[in-house]
Amino acid sequence: FLASARSVAALVARLALLAFSAAFAAFFSALALALASARSAFAFARAEARLARGARAEARAFFRAAAEDGGLAIPHDFNWGAVASIAARVCVALEETELAEPLYDALLPESGTCFVLGIANVWDGAVDRALGELATLLGRFDEAQAYLAEAEALHARLGARAHLARTWWAQAKLAQQRGGADDAVARGGPRGSP
C-alpha cells in the first residue's frame, strides 16, 4: 500500500507540475500579447498627441510606424477599444487612405458595438461612427451614410451628446466629400438635437 501511495503522490506531483507549467506558459503568452497591443495603443496615442499639437508630419510618422509594426492587426484583448478607436481617429485625421482599408476591415465585424477602453472604464462611442468616417475617407459614401446614421441613432438614444456632435461632424464631412448638401447640413443643424 505504501508503494502505491508514493506512486500516486508522485503522479499527482507530476500532474500538478505539468498544470502549473501550462498555466505559466499561458500566462506569459497572454502577457506577451497584452504588451504588444499596449505598444500599439501607445504608438497610436503618440500619433494622436502629435496631431493635437499640429505636428502632422510627426503624427504621420508615428501612425505609419505603428501600422507597419502590425498595429492594425488589433488583437481582441482589453486594449482593443483603445487601439482601434485611436487608430481610426488618427487615420481619418491624417487622411491615410492606404491604411484606412485594413483598419476598416478590422473594425467591420464590430459594427453595431461600441468602443470600450480598458476594462470597461471608458466608453468611446459607436464603432459605426469610425466605420462611417473610414468609409467616407475611402469614398464609400452610401456605406458611410448608413454607418453614421446607426451611430447617430445610438448616441441619441443614449444621450451621449459629445459623441452625437462628433457623429454630426462626420455627417457634415460626408456631405462635403459628396459635393452636395446632406440632410443634416441643408437644415442648418443636426437632426433631433437632444
Side-chain angles (χ1 to χ4, degrees):
F1 173 75
L2 189 58
S4 67
R6 283 187 185 143
S7 296
V8 169
L11 178 62
V12 168
R14 278 193 215 122
L15 289 174
L17 184 60
L18 285 173
F20 178 75
S21 296
F24 200 64
F27 169 76
F28 278 106
S29 176
L31 182 61
L33 284 174
L35 290 174
S37 72
R39 193 174 83 213
S40 293
F42 288 127
F44 289 129
R46 283 194 302 267
E48 189 172 42
R50 296 317 188 275
L51 265 175
R53 287 194 346 228
R56 291 183 69 79
E58 286 180 47
R60 189 175 308 283
F62 274 112
F63 181 77
R64 286 191 176 169
E68 289 168 9
D69 195 29
L72 296 181
I74 305 166
H76 279 274
D77 61 9
F78 66 93
N79 284 324
W80 181 88
V83 176
S85 177
I86 295 169
R89 281 196 307 267
V90 173
C91 187
V92 169
L94 292 173
E95 298 176 341
E96 284 282 350
T97 53
E98 291 173 30
L99 297 172
E101 186 77 38
L103 186 52
Y104 179 87
D105 291 342
L107 294 180
L108 200 52
E110 303 304 322
S111 176
T113 67
C114 296
F115 290 115
V116 177
L117 287 59
I119 304 172
N121 55 351
V122 176
W123 181 78
D124 198 24
V127 171
D128 286 337
R129 185 190 61 238
L131 283 167
E133 290 173 325
L134 290 166
T136 299
L137 181 60
L138 292 167
R140 299 176 186 171
F141 300 135
D142 291 338
E143 291 174 38
Q145 186 172 359
Y147 285 124
L148 292 171
E150 288 297 319
E152 178 185 25
L154 175 71
H155 295 147
R157 190 169 57 251
L158 295 175
R161 292 174 183 241
H163 292 288
L164 193 53
R166 286 175 61 192
T167 303
W168 290 331
W169 179 261
Q171 288 170 327
K173 285 178 69 176
L174 168 61
Q176 183 182 37
Q177 289 290 320
R178 274 192 155 156
D182 171 69
D183 186 34
V185 177
R187 273 192 338 278
R191 286 184 276 277
S193 235

